[in-house]
Amino acid sequence: MNNLEKYIVSHSSPRQEALDWVERQTHLRTNYPRMLAGFEVGKLLETVSAMLKPMRVLELGTFTGYSSICLASSLPEGARLDAIEINDELQDLIREGWKRAGVEERIRLIIGDSKEVMPHLDESYDLIYMDANKREYPDYLKIIMGDCGNRPLVHSGSWIIADNVLWDGKVCEEHPKSDAQTQGIIAFNEAVAADPRLENYILPLRDGWNVIRVK
């Protein structure tokens, strides 16, 4: 943590103890702890949830449950979050973190591949947070918007937040790398910008958020 990050943390409202526990366990029990949302992203997710007051939230890729705790902690009474995670080995860690945070009753954990699960969801979501397989971002968008023969998962006024859309600056290189993740994110950002049903802004928070509103 650099000096600027330390300043931000010390001058912001503290996060709940359950999130500290999830962060420690993520470092101890997973191979990719850098995938954790972390303080800045987590606090902003909590703030977005508090401002929008969504009744139905969908999270694509909950990893160890940190971001879902942040989203669920600010939900209004009666609201629910559906969290999709492909790694079934993380279930115990996820559920224990939710229990410690007191949000387990507000979240439904769905184990599976987001691209395969989403077409079968019978919901219209007010907020969707996307942080799963980067190469599949364009496919997620098509399913969300109902362009794959499925019913749309959003309505007018819904919000979509996609994480990691700057991909460490690789998206704006003169000759972007040809790997599937980089190309997937580039294709996603271009699809969002070109879709007349959407309006968006790319926020340079950490690795980039694409903040999208359905018209």
Side-chain angles (χ1 to χ4, degrees), residues 140-182:
Y140 298 158
L141 183 64
K142 290 177 183 177
I143 297 170
I144 287 169
M145 299 303 296
D147 296 337
C148 294
N150 61 294
R151 65 184 296 274
L153 299 183
V154 289
H155 52 81
S156 178
S158 292
W159 290 86
I160 306 165
I161 297 174
D163 199 7
N164 303 116
V165 297
L166 296 180
W167 208 228
D168 199 27
K170 295 175 186 176
V171 294
C172 59
E173 292 177 350
E174 185 176 355
H175 301 289
K177 292 179 173 57
S178 60
D179 64 279
Q181 289 82 6
T182 301

Side-chain angles (χ1 to χ4, degrees), residues 1 8 14 35 53 61 73 77 121 143 151 169 172 176 183 208 212:
M1 186 180 293
I8 291 170
M35 291 171 58
K53 295 180 172 55
S73 63
E77 186 70 27
L121 295 174
I143 297 170
R151 65 184 296 274
C172 59
Q183 291 301 315
I212 307 157

Side-chain angles (χ1 to χ4, degrees), residues 1-62:
M1 186 180 293
N2 60 37
N3 289 336
L4 181 58
E5 290 170 333
K6 290 178 182 177
Y7 182 88
I8 291 170
V9 171
S10 65
H11 289 77
S12 300
S13 299
R15 62 183 177 186
Q16 48 185 306
E17 292 181 6
L19 292 175
D20 288 327
W21 182 88
V22 171
E23 182 167 344
R24 287 195 300 272
Q25 295 302 313
T26 300
H27 279 81
L28 289 171
R29 296 161 60 176
T30 73
N31 294 324
Y32 303 101
R34 66 180 181 276
M35 291 171 58
L36 193 79
F39 181 84
E40 291 173 90
V41 171
K43 271 295 180 184
L44 191 50
L45 285 173
E46 185 179 327
T47 302
V48 167
S49 185
M51 289 192 300
L52 295 180
K53 295 180 172 55
M55 294 304 295
R56 290 292 179 266
V57 181
L58 175 63
E59 180 180 38
L60 310 182
T62 196

